[in-house]
């Protein structure tokens, strides 16, 4: 795309989200909310496009990017998954380079919110309004 420019956020990321359960004794595997590939492209006008996907599903991303210290991204993912509409809202920040950090991998960190309810695959409904934390680490630019 000729109108894109490379920022700290552009690239392909490994995405993982976790439920915000404060119980320290909770099994780590029980905290998983989602995992996916996350592709972000930012344009010089501050817009953001891309996709978040895994096997069998994909959401199209639209939103904005604001450079800064840290850079801020806000975007919405929407699509049809197994015949039902899915919409999720994301807000995250580009993790700055840590002074004296060794082999630091570029990362994003933020929150994801389920904007509308959708079937959960077990005959029930995943409710709107659920908020989880997420991080993503860079695979490639």
């Amino acid at each position: 795309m000729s109108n894109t420019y490379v920022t700290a956020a552009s690239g392909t990321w490994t995405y993982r989200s976790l439920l915000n359960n404060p119980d320290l004794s909770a099994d780590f595997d029980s905290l998983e909310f989602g995992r996916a590939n996350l592709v972000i492209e930012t344009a010089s006008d501050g817009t953001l496009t891309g996709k978040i996907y895994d096997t069998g599903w994909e959401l199209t991303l639209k939103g904005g990017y604001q450079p800064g210290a840290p850079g801020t991204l806000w975007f919405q993912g929407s699509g049809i998954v197994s015949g039902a509409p899915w919409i999720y809202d994301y807000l995250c920040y580009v993790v700055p380079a840590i002074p004296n950090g060794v082999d630091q991998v570029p990362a994003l960190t933020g929150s994801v919110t389920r904007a509308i309810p959708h079937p959960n695959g077990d005959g029930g409904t995943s409710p709107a309004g659920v908020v989880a934390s997420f991080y993503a680490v860079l695979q490639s630019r």
Side-chain angles (χ1 to χ4, degrees), residues 83-123:
W86 283 27
I87 300 176
Y88 284 81
D89 295 319
Y90 303 82
L91 171 65
C92 67
Y93 304 96
V94 178
V95 176
I98 304 301
N100 302 314
V102 176
D103 299 328
Q104 181 179 353
V105 177
L108 307 173
T109 185
S111 293
V112 55
T113 305
R114 186 181 300 120
I116 64 170
H118 63 71
N120 68 7
D122 293 328

Side-chain angles (χ1 to χ4, degrees), residues 60-84:
T60 300
L61 305 179
K62 292 182 183 178
Y65 172 76
Q66 182 175 345
T72 304
L73 294 78
W74 57 96
F75 51 94
Q76 186 171 78
S78 61
I80 304 296
V81 178
S82 298

Side-chain angles (χ1 to χ4, degrees), residues 13-18 33-38 52 57 75 88 90 111-112 132-137 139:
W13 304 80
T14 298
Y15 166 97
R16 293 180 177 95
S17 55
L18 302 168
F33 188 69
R35 66 173 82 184
N37 293 290
L38 173 64
I52 185 166
W57 66 273
F75 51 94
Y88 284 81
Y90 303 82
S111 293
V112 55
S133 296
F134 80 86
Y135 72 99
V137 292
Q139 293 177 20

